Structure formats: C-alpha cells, structure tokens
Amino acid sequence: MEAADVFLPVIAWCRTRQSQDSQAEARRQKRRLKLLAFQRLRLKKLRETWRLREKVFKRSKLRRLCSHDAWMKAITHQFLRDHRRQKPKVWLHPRTSDWWENTAATFTDHEWLQHFRVSRETFSYLCATLNPQLKRQDTNYRLCIPLEKRVALTLYKLAHPCDYRTVADLFAVGVASVCHCVHEFCTVVIEVLKPQLVVTPNTFQLENIEECFHHTYQIPQCIGVLDSMNITISRPPHLNSEKPDRESYLAILFQAVVDDKGLFWDLSMSCPTWVNDNNGELLVCEDFSTRMHNVCRTDNSCVVIGDAGYPSKNWLLKPSTNTSGLTAEQELLNTQIIAARSVAHYAFERLNGRWRCLSRRNDCNVEIVKDMVETCCVLHNLCEKNNDMCLPDWIGQEPLQTVDENPQKNGDAESLDDLLQLIQDSAE
C-alpha cells in the first residue's frame, strides 16, 4: 500500500473536521450577535419603560401637589371666612366688663367724682381734646379699646393707689393694655394740655398775682409759693448706690411753684436719690433756679416764697430760722410768709387727695413716674379751672381756709418793702 493511499483519507478527514469547526464557530458567532442584539433591544425597552414610569410619577406627584395646594387654599379660605363672622377667640381672654358698661354708666355725679376725681364735663372735655391722639381703629383680628374706656381706666389708675391688675379686672382689659393706655395718656396730656395749663405767667398775670399776695398777705413783689414733696419709687436696675441707712428710701424730689389761686405754673423733678425724713435740707435744681431767676428778673423786682429749708437765693424769700434774735418787724414778716405758704400747702393737699398714686410707692420706670406726676399736675389745674369739687375726705380733713386776717394793715406796705429788701440783702 502506498503512502498516498494512507494520508489522503486523513487529510480529507482533517479538512472535513476543520470545515465543520468553522461552520460551528460561525453559528456560535451568529448566536452571540443575536443575543447581543436582543440584550440591546431589551435594555432599550427597559430604559423607555423607566422613562415612561418617571414621567408618570412626576405627573402624579405634580398632580398631588396641585391638589394639595388647592385643598389647603380652600380650607384656609373657609377658615378665614368663618373666623371673620365670629368674634376672635384667639386674641381675647374671657372677661366681664359689667362694671364699666353697666355699673359706671349708672353712677351719680357724686359717685363719678369719687371714682374718677373729675366731673363728667371735665371727662368729656378730656375725651374731645385728646381724641385725635388717642383714638384707635378696629381690625379684623381684634376690637380696639374705646376712647372713653382708655381715659377712664387711666384716671382710675391715677386716682387710686392700686396696681395694674386691679384696673384690668375692673375694665375687662389686659394688664399690658392698661400699662400701655396709662403711658400713652400721660404722654399725650403732656404734649397737648401742659402747654395750655402749666405755663409761666405773662407780665399782666404776674402783676395780678403780686397784687393778690400783697392784698391778702401783705407781702409785696411775691409771684408764687414754692413747695416740694417726695415721690417714692422702687429702686431702678441701673442705680448702683447702696442704701445709706435703714430709714432712707428712694424718691424723686418734686418741686412746684403755685400762684395765688393754687394752680401750678412751674414744675421740676430731680433724679432718684436716697431720702431721709430727718434731713431737713432741700435742694433746688439748677435749671429750676435759672428759670426762677429769669422770671423774677435780674433786678430782683419779684420773689418766690419758700420753706426755711431751702438755700438762700436772690429770688427766694424764706422765713428766718433764728427766731430768738428777731425784731418785731421780722417776726411779723415770718408770720406773713408762713400764712402765704398755706396756698402751696393747700394746693399740694388737693393734688395728693385727687391723685392718690402720688402717695404710694410707684413701681414704674423713672421717666414714666415723672410723666405721671406732670400729668397729675396738669389735671389738677384743669379741675381747679373747671371748679371741680375736691371732697374733704380725700385729704383727710376739712379744707384749709385762706388766711385773710393779718396783724399788718395795708398802710404798712412801704415798711414791708424795706423789710423785704433787708432780707434779700442779708441772703446775698
């Protein structure tokens, strides 16, 4: 057997096997390509599906948000509509205002004067005058405090030594509202009424005051009486000074000049200081002394009568303290000065009797206390000009009578002028 006969079948078989392998590899490659194409198509479909789902989700979420907003708007609109129809319950604490609306409305003139210290006519004048500054408007959420109630609760607070809570319970308002009304009323009274009621007299009025004091008390050249009182206050936070002794208390020195009719025409208040009742020395503020010096003029043609505890001033006439070595004329002048000082004493008694807030310790801020004192003085002048009654039980005794009788007759005016000049020269 030849070699060709042996290798030819082997070679044919190898070629056949190789052809079969090539065909199998081609089929596998084709299947692989089909699988890749199927996977790409499937991935594409998945992406499209996810995109569709995302669009649907976004649309549904937007729809939910839109429906929620519309629902909230509808609920809010319904709530506000119902809330406006009814009285606001969130802003109001249930209180009864029967005392002001029912009881006070039936007061007689005497009962009204006892509670508010002013007559109904004066009360109406205050409401009409202060209306542009104190009137408030209602809102959708709360009703404002009426003007008459604001004025009434302030007068009640000034007239009685009570706290803010008591006034709030009587007038059916909040404690903070009472505090705000009182402070606002005092500010408006000082701005509007003080320039009209507490003013320095002009030349004609000063001449009338001089003539009245000369005719009644035989004291020439007198244009007023100076007196003072201590307004007790609580210790403010910024005051660092310690209490000097157990008997001392913190107070504001209030000084005022009173004319012949018992009206205040000049006011002055000092800074808070520790005061002891055993200390008889009285201080005069620098600005007050300057004003009095300008009013009395540089030639000392006018004087103001003061207490013996005041320091010597060229515009201040005070009684002599050394009573042992006085002449008959000096003793007579001391008697006349003491009699003239009863005008200021009576005016301060009526001031304290009407406005009892001045007789107790005030817990407010120092500036607010000063505003309250000035307001009380303005209201005092208003009541005196309107001839409002000051009941004797307010001051705890019968009203003081004006001293008309004097040992010195009108014919001794020239000798009194000489005595006055002598005392002024000794003071200088």
Side-chain angles (χ1 to χ4, degrees):
M1 182 178 296
E2 293 181 359
D5 296 335
V6 177
F7 288 104
L8 285 175
V10 176
I11 293 173
W13 180 83
C14 290
R15 289 180 177 176
T16 303
R17 187 67 178 177
Q18 186 178 4
S19 176
Q20 293 176 354
D21 293 340
S22 299
Q23 293 177 359
E25 183 65 25
R27 287 193 298 271
R28 286 194 297 272
Q29 186 68 22
K30 188 176 180 179
R31 286 195 300 269
R32 193 181 298 114
L33 292 176
K34 288 182 179 181
L35 182 60
L36 290 176
F38 176 76
Q39 290 178 352
R40 291 192 186 98
L41 182 60
R42 185 179 179 183
L43 182 61
K44 184 178 180 180
K45 291 182 178 181
L46 288 175
R47 288 176 179 175
E48 292 178 355
T49 303
W50 281 107
R51 288 174 184 172
L52 291 175
R53 289 182 178 179
E54 187 176 2
K55 289 181 180 180
V56 172
F57 177 75
K58 289 182 178 179
R59 290 178 181 176
S60 60
K61 182 179 181 181
L62 181 61
R63 190 180 298 109
R64 288 196 303 271
L65 291 176
C66 293
S67 61
H68 181 268
D69 292 343
W71 181 75
M72 288 300 297
K73 288 181 180 180
I75 293 298
T76 305
H77 177 72
Q78 184 70 19
F79 172 77
L80 293 178
R81 186 179 63 180
D82 297 341
H83 191 65
R84 290 173 182 174
R85 293 178 180 175
Q86 302 175 357
K87 285 187 177 181
K89 299 181 180 179
V90 178
W91 299 92
L92 296 178
H93 179 72
R95 296 184 179 93
T96 175
S97 58
D98 291 340
W99 187 86
W100 166 248
E101 295 179 357
N102 300 327
T103 306
T106 59
F107 279 166
T108 62
D109 293 341
H110 181 77
E111 291 174 340
W112 181 274
L113 190 66
Q114 283 280 12
H115 284 86
F116 301 106
R117 297 299 197 266
V118 297
S119 62
R120 294 184 185 271
E121 292 76 11
T122 304
F123 180 82
S124 301
Y125 172 79
L126 287 173
C127 294
T129 306
L130 307 179
N131 181 39
Q133 290 78 17
L134 292 180
K135 187 176 181 180
R136 297 294 180 266
Q137 294 183 352
D138 298 336
T139 63
N140 294 330
Y141 297 99
R142 71 170 81 183
L143 301 177
C144 70
I145 302 176
L147 174 64
E148 291 77 9
K149 182 185 283 191
R150 296 166 68 90
V151 177
L153 67 88
T154 304
L155 294 178
Y156 192 92
K157 175 64 177 70
L158 297 177
H160 299 274
C162 57
D163 53 4
Y164 287 118
R165 188 171 299 279
T166 303
V167 182
D169 294 338
L170 281 177
F171 289 87
V173 296
V175 177
S177 298
V178 174
C179 183
H180 179 74
C181 290
V182 171
H183 299 171
E184 191 175 19
F185 178 85
C186 294
T187 303
V188 174
V189 167
I190 294 173
E191 292 178 357
V192 178
L193 295 181
K194 184 182 177 182
Q196 304 175 12
L197 298 173
V198 183
V199 292
T200 303
N202 53 32
T203 304
F204 177 74
Q205 293 172 342
L206 289 177
E207 292 177 356
N208 291 336
I209 296 174
E210 289 181 25
E211 182 180 357
C212 182
F213 274 103
H214 192 189
H215 176 74
T216 307
Y217 304 103
Q218 305 302 317
I219 299 179
Q221 303 174 0
C222 177
I223 60 173
V225 182
L226 174 63
D227 206 344
S228 63
M229 63 178 294
N230 291 320
I231 309 297
T232 309
I233 62 173
S234 299
R235 182 172 181 174
H238 62 274
L239 188 63
N240 297 324
S241 60
E242 297 294 335
K243 188 174 182 179
D245 52 63
R246 297 180 59 183
E247 298 179 356
S248 298
Y249 57 92
L250 198 63
I252 296 175
L253 178 62
F254 165 60
Q255 298 175 339
V257 181
V258 182
D259 63 3
D260 57 301
K261 298 180 179 61
L263 302 180
F264 299 102
W265 60 265
D266 195 286
L267 310 175
S268 176
M269 277 170 283
S270 65
C271 297
T273 54
W274 294 105
V275 180
N276 193 326
D277 292 333
N278 297 326
N279 188 4
E281 297 181 359
L282 296 174
L283 301 177
V284 178
C285 300
E286 191 66 28
D287 57 343
F288 179 79
S289 179
T290 304
R291 290 198 305 271
M292 290 297 101
H293 187 275
N294 294 333
V295 173
C296 295
R297 297 185 286 273
T298 56
D299 56 351
N300 298 331
S301 59
C302 300
V303 292
V304 175
I305 296 177
D307 187 75
Y310 283 104
S312 298
K313 299 288 183 180
N314 54 1
W315 50 266
L316 182 64
L317 177 63
K318 62 179 185 176
S320 301
T321 56
N322 186 12
T323 57
S324 59
L326 295 181
T327 62
E329 291 80 3
Q330 290 176 340
E331 291 180 357
L332 176 61
L333 182 60
N334 274 6
T335 304
Q336 293 169 341
I337 291 176
I338 294 174
R341 288 190 65 251
S342 63
V343 177
H345 178 69
Y346 185 38
F348 272 80
E349 278 191 344
R350 294 169 71 90
L351 176 69
N352 287 324
R354 279 195 176 100
W355 315 113
R356 300 299 300 276
C357 66
L358 304 178
S359 60
R360 59 162 292 180
R361 187 179 68 175
N362 202 316
D363 298 332
C364 298
N365 184 273
V366 175
E367 298 301 326
I368 298 176
V369 173
K370 293 182 179 181
D371 291 345
M372 294 175 68
V373 175
E374 290 188 22
T375 302
C376 292
C377 294
V378 174
L379 295 177
H380 167 83
N381 285 3
L382 179 62
C383 294
E384 292 294 321
K385 288 187 176 181
N386 292 343
N387 296 323
D388 290 353
M389 293 181 58
C390 182
L391 302 181
D393 57 343
W394 293 353
I395 57 178
Q397 59 184 7
E398 293 295 330
L400 298 177
Q401 299 295 331
T402 304
V403 179
D404 293 332
E405 299 180 357
N406 241 305
Q408 187 71 16
K409 299 301 181 180
N410 295 341
D412 298 331
E414 294 180 358
S415 61
L416 286 175
D417 293 340
D418 297 336
L419 286 174
L420 179 62
Q421 185 65 31
L422 178 62
I423 292 179
Q424 289 179 354
D425 294 340
S426 62
E428 294 178 356

